Amino acid sequence: MAALRRTLHVATLAAGARRALAGYIAPFLQHIDGTRPVDDTCAPLVSTGSLAGSCLANRRFWDKLHADTRKGHVPTFDWFFGYEETQGLLLPLLQETVAACPLRVLDVGCGTSSLCTGLYTQCPHPVDVLGVDFSPVAIAHMKRLLEGGEGQTPLCPGHPASRLHFMQADAQNLEPVASSGSFQLVLDKGTWDAVARGGPQGAYQLLSECLRVLSPQGTLIQFSDEDPDVRLPYLEQGSPGWSVTVQELGPFGGITYFAYLVQGSH
């Protein structure tokens, strides 16, 4: 019976990941590529409008996607929502953790989102933000944005002691990026949803790495539109010894989102 529950749980996780990103990726792909697939791995996605296959866990898919968004000269591109929609949750949390100065924040699978840049430019508390992504195209763009390339003004920190860095790295292997317990806040906005398309092992490995680099008193936040009845059992199973809670966000654009908080002792 336990084995059956595990099998059903994994199947539900995959279904949740399909629902979580289907509304964003398929229309966007059709916008940038018409009906042509990005590559053979992603052909089922564009041709059928579904998330069959595992292209969301494929780096070539994201390299192509980030390269095509640059053609529109958009400084940042956000799945789900951007920094503005998260600051009501993040700023009070950061204020509670001011003992670390500056507070170290890791954004896994940052892509070209405004989450890192918003924290750096608008947060009144000192933060040291690191954005990592396995797409070199995304990281190169964010570095240029930070330094003022592509006709942009260089980004200015919201606090004089704040810092912002970007590094190419796989969120499932953060050993080259950080030692254990080195971040007070780890952010995952849609990254788990994408990684889960490559199989449940990747999702568990992502969570394990996020918790490894997180301070024992720190907080991991996963942003998703996946229902709590799907995500919470997974997080509780994969985060023994950590407190797991959920907060509702939005609706934004008519969609309700959730912030899943995995926290150590305070």
Side-chain angles (χ1 to χ4, degrees):
M1 181 61 71
L4 176 60
R5 283 198 299 268
R6 285 195 296 270
T7 301
L8 291 174
H9 184 53
V10 168
T12 306
L13 290 175
R18 284 196 298 272
R19 183 182 66 253
L21 286 177
Y24 296 89
I25 303 292
F28 187 69
L29 280 177
Q30 290 170 359
H31 170 70
I32 61 176
D33 273 334
T35 57
R36 292 180 295 108
V38 174
D39 56 37
D40 291 341
T41 305
C42 300
L45 172 62
V46 180
S47 61
T48 67
S50 69
L51 285 179
S54 60
C55 71
L56 292 184
N58 186 290
R59 197 186 80 179
R60 288 181 298 162
F61 167 83
W62 293 105
D63 285 344
K64 172 66 174 175
L65 189 63
H66 292 308
D68 281 330
T69 60
R70 302 285 66 79
K71 295 176 182 177
H73 304 290
V74 180
T76 58
F77 182 84
D78 283 294
W79 305 117
F80 299 157
F81 44 75
Y83 171 76
E84 296 293 336
E85 290 79 10
T86 65
Q87 59 181 336
L89 171 65
L90 295 181
L91 292 183
L93 186 62
L94 293 170
Q95 189 171 12
E96 294 173 4
T97 324
V98 292
C101 189
L103 186 86
R104 296 202 69 200
V105 181
L106 175 66
D107 182 5
V108 294
C110 65
T112 58
S113 167
S114 65
L115 199 54
C116 285
T117 57
L119 270 173
Y120 175 66
T121 60
Q122 299 185 46
C123 181
H125 312 297
V127 289
D128 184 355
V129 183
L130 173 62
V132 300
D133 199 282
F134 69 173
S135 169
V137 178
I139 293 301
H141 170 74
M142 295 308 284
K143 286 182 176 180
R144 289 193 296 269
L145 182 63
L146 173 63
E147 298 164 359
E150 301 185 2
Q152 302 291 323
T153 302
L155 301 182
C156 295
H159 188 283
S162 290
R163 297 188 291 269
L164 175 60
H165 319 270
F166 292 99
M167 181 181 299
Q168 182 185 355
D170 188 339
Q172 297 177 61
N173 178 22
L174 295 170
E175 288 284 353
V177 173
S179 57
S180 298
S182 55
F183 290 91
Q184 287 76 48
L185 180 62
V186 177
L187 304 175
D188 171 345
K189 184 162 68 73
T191 302
W192 182 91
D193 302 82
V195 170
R197 296 301 299 127
Q201 295 85 356
Y204 278 99
Q205 180 62 26
L206 170 65
L207 177 62
S208 175
E209 277 295 273
C210 288
L211 294 179
R212 182 186 66 80
V213 302
L214 187 63
S215 162
Q217 295 79 39
T219 301
L220 162 66
I221 305 179
Q222 292 186 347
F223 295 104
S224 179
D225 70 348
E226 188 170 62
D227 294 338
D229 61 349
V230 175
R231 183 66 62 96
L232 283 176
Y234 163 76
L235 290 177
E236 291 166 351
Q237 178 180 333
S239 309
W242 297 79
S243 170
V244 181
T245 57
V246 60
Q247 295 187 31
E248 189 172 302
L249 300 177
F252 306 129
I255 300 175
T256 297
Y257 297 91
F258 302 95
Y260 296 94
L261 285 73
V262 183
Q263 295 178 294
S265 58
H266 291 280

